Amino acid sequence: MRARVALREKGVEFEYRVGDLTNKSPLLLQSNPIHKKIPVLIHNGKPVCESLNVVHYVDEAWPDKNPFFPSDPYGRTHARFWDDFVDKKFSEAQFKIWGKKGEEQEEGKKEFIEAVKILESELGDKPYFGGDSFGYVDISLITFYSWFQAYEKFGNFSIEAKSPKLIAWAKMCMEKESVSKSLPDSEKIVAYAAEFRKNSLGSE
Amino acid sequence: MRARVALREKGVEFEYRVGDLTNKSPLLLQSNPIHKKIPVLIHNGKPVCESLNVVHYVDEAWPDKNPFFPSDPYGRTHARFWDDFVDKKFSEAQFKIWGKKGEEQEEGKKEFIEAVKILESELGDKPYFGGDSFGYVDISLITFYSWFQAYEKFGNFSIEAKSPKLIAWAKMCMEKESVSKSLPDSEKIVAYAAEFRKNSLGSE
C-alpha cells in the first residue's frame, strides 16, 4: 500500500501484480532472494525491496513532484525518526490488538493507545506530519487506517475518543486519490482479521 | 560508535559524553523523550536520535566531505537495503551467540554464519560495501567488529574460516583512523560479554 500511495503521489503509472504468498513466484524469489517478501518495485529492470525503502526510492527517482521529505537535514532526520516509530512501536502494538487475545491483547491495546497519543502530540496542529504537505510519515501511517475498524472491533474501544486529531488527519488523507485508491476496504480487513483470529487463536 | 565513525569521517569535531544508563541524565531524557536511548547527537541545540539516523543526518548536514551514499537513487536504495539487513538479521543473530546459551545460541550461530556468508557475497570483490569508498553499510557493520573475538570465543568457531573476505574488509576498515579511534578494544568486549553471561545466564 505504501508503495502504491507513493507512486500515485508522484503521478507514476505502474502495473500492479498481486502474488500468491503461499506459492511464491519465480519473479518474487529472483527479485528479493534475501527476504522473499513483498512489496517489490521493479523499475528499469531493477528490484527495490521493503515498503519504506520503496517509498524512499520513489521520492529520489521522481524528485520533482510532491517531495516526501523536507529539504533541510534536521527536517529529514525528524521524518525518519517518526517513521521508525510508526514502523516499530505503532506497528507492533496494532498487531497485538487484532492478532492476539487475553493479556497480550490488553498489553497491545495499552501500547497502541500510548503510541497514538504520542503521534497525536507530534502531529499537533499541523495538517500533516510533514507540515503543510503530505510526506513520508503520512504515507507510512495512513496505510494502517484501513485497519482502524478492526482495532476498534477486536480491541473494543474507540480510537476517535482517544485521539480525535489523528482521526481528522486520517480523514483528510483519505480525500487524496493517491490514498483512497490504494487502501483496501475496512470491511474486508475486519473479515480477514476475524478469519485470522479463528484460525490462529481459536476465537473471533 | 556509528555516530563517532560518521563524525570522524566528515572531520567534524565533537564533544563525546558517556552517560550512566542506570541513572539517565536529564539531558538524555529531554533529548530523547520517546525512546530514552543513546546515542543522541546534539547539533545546533537540536537532538538527533538512533544511531542510523545520526549517520544519515551527519551525511546530510556535512555533505561535502566523504559522502556515505552514492548519488544515484538505485545505489542509495541498495545501501539502505543492506543496512537494514545488518541492523536486523546480522544484529539479532550476533546477540544470540554471546547473549544466549544452548539451543538458542546454536540457532544464533547458524543464523550468524548464514548472514555473514550473504554479506560476503554482497561484498564480492569490492573494497567496501559502498564500492570504492567507505560508506553507509560499512559504517553500520564495522562497529560490530570489536565483538568478533567474543563471537568466536563464546560461539567456539572461526569467523575468518567462514568468511575470509569479510575479515579482510574489516582489517582494511580498521586502518582508517575514523574507525580505529571509535571502536572499543576487543578484550574489553570479551570481558563485558563474559560478565553479562555470568549475570544473566549463570554461566560463562
Side-chain angles (χ1 to χ4, degrees):
Chain A
M1 283 183 268
R2 287 168 172 167
R4 279 179 284 156
V5 174
L7 288 164
R8 288 188 168 121
E9 274 294 300
K10 296 288 184 178
V12 177
E13 300 237 345
F14 58 93
E15 183 198 344
Y16 174 51
R17 288 197 202 170
V18 180
D20 174 2
L21 293 181
T22 59
N23 179 18
K24 296 180 180 179
S25 70
L27 180 64
L28 174 60
L29 297 175
Q30 175 198 326
S31 305
N32 190 358
I34 305 293
H35 302 301
K36 307 178 180 72
K37 283 184 185 165
I38 59 155
V40 177
L41 168 70
I42 300 176
H43 181 218
N44 294 333
K46 287 177 176 170
V48 181
C49 307
E50 308 283 63
S51 72
L52 295 175
N53 249 351
V54 170
V55 176
H56 225 116
Y57 174 80
V58 166
D59 195 38
E60 295 186 334
W62 290 275
D64 298 332
K65 194 178 170 189
N66 297 336
F68 301 156
F69 283 95
S71 55
D72 66 298
Y74 194 76
R76 296 168 72 82
T77 196
H78 192 80
R80 281 192 293 261
F81 176 87
W82 284 104
D83 184 64
D84 188 64
F85 181 87
V86 169
D87 214 46
K88 292 187 185 136
K89 298 271 175 185
F90 181 90
S91 178
E92 281 165 20
Q94 62 85 29
F95 173 67
K96 291 185 198 162
I97 298 181
W98 66 267
K100 299 288 177 185
K101 61 182 183 180
E103 217 171 286
E104 235 180 324
Q105 189 187 33
E106 278 309 309
E107 191 188 275
K109 196 170 141 181
K110 216 176 113 190
E111 289 167 7
F112 180 87
I113 292 169
E114 198 183 301
V116 149
K117 286 191 172 164
I118 289 174
L119 285 168
E120 175 133 330
S121 139
E122 165 59 17
L123 179 63
D125 292 321
K126 303 191 296 283
Y128 296 109
F129 282 91
D132 287 331
S133 61
F134 180 79
Y136 194 55
V137 181
D138 302 291
I139 295 176
S140 280
L141 187 58
I142 195 59
T143 51
F144 289 100
Y145 185 55
S146 298
W147 288 83
F148 276 31
Q149 202 175 314
Y151 306 153
E152 293 187 324
K153 180 179 162 69
F154 299 110
N156 194 26
F157 71 121
S158 155
I159 300 174
E160 193 158 15
K162 302 285 178 194
S163 50
K165 278 185 192 167
L166 200 74
I167 297 294
W169 160 83
K171 285 182 180 160
M172 202 168 70
C173 292
M174 285 298 276
E175 285 173 21
K176 296 175 90 65
E177 203 186 77
S178 61
V179 176
S180 60
K181 269 182 90 166
S182 305
L183 263 57
D185 190 58
S186 289
E187 300 288 342
K188 278 191 190 158
I189 298 286
V190 170
Y192 170 83
E195 187 69 18
F196 177 92
R197 294 181 72 78
K198 210 171 71 182
N199 293 336
S200 84
L201 308 174
S203 78
E204 279 213 359
Chain B
M1 284 183 268
R2 286 168 173 167
R4 280 179 285 155
V5 174
L7 288 164
R8 288 188 167 121
E9 274 293 300
K10 295 288 184 177
V12 177
E13 300 238 345
F14 58 92
E15 182 197 344
Y16 174 50
R17 287 196 203 172
V18 180
D20 174 3
L21 292 181
T22 59
N23 180 17
K24 295 180 180 179
S25 70
L27 181 64
L28 174 59
L29 297 176
Q30 174 199 328
S31 304
N32 190 358
I34 305 293
H35 302 302
K36 306 176 181 72
K37 283 184 185 166
I38 58 154
V40 177
L41 168 70
I42 300 177
H43 181 219
N44 294 332
K46 288 179 177 171
V48 181
C49 308
E50 307 283 62
S51 72
L52 295 175
N53 250 352
V54 170
V55 176
H56 225 116
Y57 174 81
V58 166
D59 195 37
E60 296 186 333
W62 290 276
D64 298 332
K65 194 179 171 190
N66 296 338
F68 301 156
F69 283 95
S71 55
D72 66 298
Y74 194 76
R76 297 169 71 82
T77 196
H78 192 79
R80 281 192 294 262
F81 177 86
W82 284 104
D83 184 63
D84 187 64
F85 182 86
V86 169
D87 213 47
K88 292 188 185 137
K89 298 272 176 186
F90 181 90
S91 178
E92 282 165 20
Q94 63 84 29
F95 173 68
K96 291 185 198 163
I97 297 179
W98 65 269
K100 299 287 177 187
K101 61 181 183 180
E103 216 172 286
E104 234 178 325
Q105 188 186 32
E106 279 308 309
E107 191 188 274
K109 195 169 143 182
K110 216 176 112 190
E111 288 167 7
F112 180 86
I113 293 168
E114 198 183 300
V116 150
K117 287 192 172 163
I118 290 174
L119 285 167
E120 173 134 333
S121 138
E122 166 58 17
L123 180 63
D125 292 321
K126 302 192 295 284
Y128 296 109
F129 283 91
D132 287 330
S133 62
F134 180 78
Y136 194 56
V137 181
D138 302 292
I139 296 176
S140 280
L141 187 58
I142 194 61
T143 51
F144 289 99
Y145 185 55
S146 298
W147 289 83
F148 276 31
Q149 203 175 312
Y151 307 153
E152 292 187 325
K153 180 179 162 71
F154 299 109
N156 193 25
F157 70 120
S158 155
I159 300 175
E160 192 159 14
K162 302 286 177 193
S163 51
K165 278 185 193 169
L166 200 74
I167 297 294
W169 160 85
K171 286 182 178 160
M172 202 169 71
C173 292
M174 285 298 276
E175 285 173 20
K176 295 175 91 67
E177 203 186 76
S178 61
V179 177
S180 60
K181 270 182 90 166
S182 306
L183 263 56
D185 190 59
S186 290
E187 299 289 343
K188 278 192 192 159
I189 298 285
V190 169
Y192 169 84
E195 187 69 19
F196 177 92
R197 294 181 72 78
K198 209 171 73 184
N199 293 336
S200 84
L201 308 175
S203 77
E204 281 216 359

